[in-house]
Amino acid sequence: MDPLGGKDIEANPTGSEEMQLPVLTQPGLGETTTTVTTISQTGGDWSTGLFEVCGDTSTCLMGAFVPCCLDLSLAHQYGECMCLPLLPGSTFAMRVGIRERFKIRGSVCEDWTTVYCCYPLALCQMIREMKKRLKTQIYTVSTTLESS
């Protein structure tokens, strides 16, 4: 009871004595845009073979003439520091990581043999795999909200 007027006052859970009216109109009327990004394809084998270098000419040429630059590019695409290729065994570690991230069939022994016996070809294959598997599809959905 209100000590002055003798009326009942309903207490609000927030501690204030007045109840607020509900919101009748929603803010933000107009056009809204939602972007949905999907990443596709995991599992299976490598998408290209070790010797299928002719499909991507720029990667093939970089692998043949400046594989160290290709290794830097791979580290960047993989999300690692560009200094990673300076560490011994880093390309092997990235290959194992790519294979596990995308659930590609294989073994650590196969990865080691591929990197240390066919280094430029392994780099080219890894770059092609990153390009193909990280290809994103972007859909944009626009909706218009109108007041009734």
Side-chain angles (χ1 to χ4, degrees):
M1 295 223 17
D2 183 8
L4 299 176
K7 297 181 195 173
D8 286 336
I9 297 175
E10 188 174 325
N12 196 349
T14 60
S16 67
E17 293 185 3
E18 281 186 29
M19 294 291 287
Q20 293 184 354
L21 296 174
V23 176
L24 299 177
T25 59
Q26 293 294 322
L29 292 178
E31 187 171 323
T32 60
T33 303
T34 305
T35 303
V36 179
T37 305
T38 60
I39 299 175
S40 60
Q41 189 181 1
T42 57
D45 293 322
W46 291 91
S47 61
T48 59
L50 190 61
F51 298 102
E52 295 176 27
V53 293
C54 297
D56 188 354
T57 309
S58 62
T59 301
C60 175
L61 292 173
M62 283 185 69
F65 297 110
V66 282
C68 56
C69 292
L70 195 59
D71 212 355
L72 291 171
S73 175
L74 178 64
H76 178 69
Q77 284 185 20
Y78 190 67
E80 291 292 336
C81 174
M82 298 269 293
C83 298
L84 181 69
L86 300 174
L87 299 173
S90 61
T91 306
F92 166 63
M94 282 191 289
R95 184 172 178 92
V96 171
I98 289 170
R99 190 174 49 75
E100 289 183 359
R101 178 183 290 182
F102 298 120
K103 300 183 181 11
I104 299 170
R105 278 177 265 188
S107 68
V108 173
C109 184
E110 290 172 358
D111 293 334
W112 187 90
T113 305
T114 303
V115 168
Y116 290 106
C117 294
C118 308
Y119 174 73
L121 294 173
L123 279 175
C124 291
Q125 184 184 38
M126 291 160 63
I127 287 283
R128 289 191 309 268
E129 199 67 33
M130 292 293 286
K131 285 180 181 177
K132 182 169 183 166
R133 302 257 182 166
L134 291 180
K135 186 183 230 182
T136 59
Q137 299 173 351
I138 298 176
Y139 304 98
T140 303
V141 179
S142 293
T143 55
T144 304
L145 302 173
E146 296 177 3
S147 177
S148 54

Coordinates of all heavy atoms in Angstrom, one line a residue, residues 9-20:
I9 N 0.6 -0.5 -5.1 CA 1.6 -0.2 -6.2 C 2.3 -1.5 -6.4 O 2.8 -2.2 -5.5 CB 2.6 0.8 -5.8 CG1 1.9 2.2 -5.5 CG2 3.7 1.0 -6.8 CD1 2.9 3.2 -5.0
E10 N 2.3 -1.9 -7.7 CA 3.0 -3.2 -8.1 C 4.5 -2.9 -8.3 O 4.8 -2.0 -9.0 CB 2.4 -3.7 -9.4 CG 2.9 -5.1 -9.7 CD 2.1 -5.7 -10.9 OE1 0.9 -5.4 -11.0 OE2 2.8 -6.4 -11.7
A11 N 5.3 -3.6 -7.6 CA 6.7 -3.4 -7.7 C 7.3 -4.1 -8.9 O 6.9 -5.2 -9.3 CB 7.4 -3.9 -6.4
N12 N 8.2 -3.4 -9.6 CA 8.9 -3.9 -10.8 C 10.1 -4.7 -10.3 O 10.7 -4.3 -9.3 CB 9.3 -2.7 -11.6 CG 9.6 -3.2 -13.0 OD1 9.8 -4.3 -13.3 ND2 9.8 -2.2 -13.9
P13 N 10.4 -5.8 -10.9 CA 11.6 -6.6 -10.5 C 12.9 -5.8 -10.5 O 13.8 -6.1 -9.8 CB 11.7 -7.7 -11.5 CG 10.4 -7.8 -12.2 CD 9.7 -6.5 -12.0
T14 N 12.9 -4.7 -11.2 CA 14.2 -3.9 -11.3 C 14.2 -3.0 -10.1 O 15.2 -2.3 -9.9 CB 14.2 -3.0 -12.6 OG1 13.1 -2.2 -12.6 CG2 14.3 -3.9 -13.8
G15 N 13.2 -2.9 -9.3 CA 13.2 -2.1 -8.1 C 12.5 -0.7 -8.2 O 12.2 -0.1 -7.3
S16 N 12.2 -0.3 -9.5 CA 11.5 0.9 -9.6 C 10.0 0.7 -9.4 O 9.5 -0.5 -9.5 CB 11.7 1.5 -11.0 OG 11.1 0.7 -12.0
E17 N 9.2 1.7 -9.0 CA 7.9 1.5 -8.7 C 6.9 1.6 -9.8 O 5.7 1.2 -9.7 CB 7.5 2.5 -7.6 CG 8.2 2.3 -6.3 CD 7.7 3.3 -5.2 OE1 6.8 4.1 -5.4 OE2 8.3 3.2 -4.1
E18 N 7.3 2.0 -11.0 CA 6.4 2.1 -12.2 C 6.7 1.0 -13.2 O 7.9 0.7 -13.4 CB 6.7 3.5 -12.9 CG 6.0 4.6 -12.2 CD 6.1 5.9 -13.0 OE1 6.2 5.8 -14.3 OE2 6.2 6.9 -12.4
M19 N 5.7 0.5 -13.7 CA 5.8 -0.5 -14.8 C 5.8 0.2 -16.1 O 5.0 1.1 -16.3 CB 4.6 -1.5 -14.8 CG 4.6 -2.4 -13.6 SD 5.9 -3.6 -13.5 CE 5.4 -4.7 -14.8
Q20 N 6.7 -0.2 -17.0 CA 6.8 0.5 -18.3 C 5.9 -0.2 -19.3 O 5.6 -1.4 -19.2 CB 8.2 0.5 -18.8 CG 9.1 1.4 -18.0 CD 10.5 1.4 -18.6 OE1 10.8 0.8 -19.6 NE2 11.3 2.3 -18.0

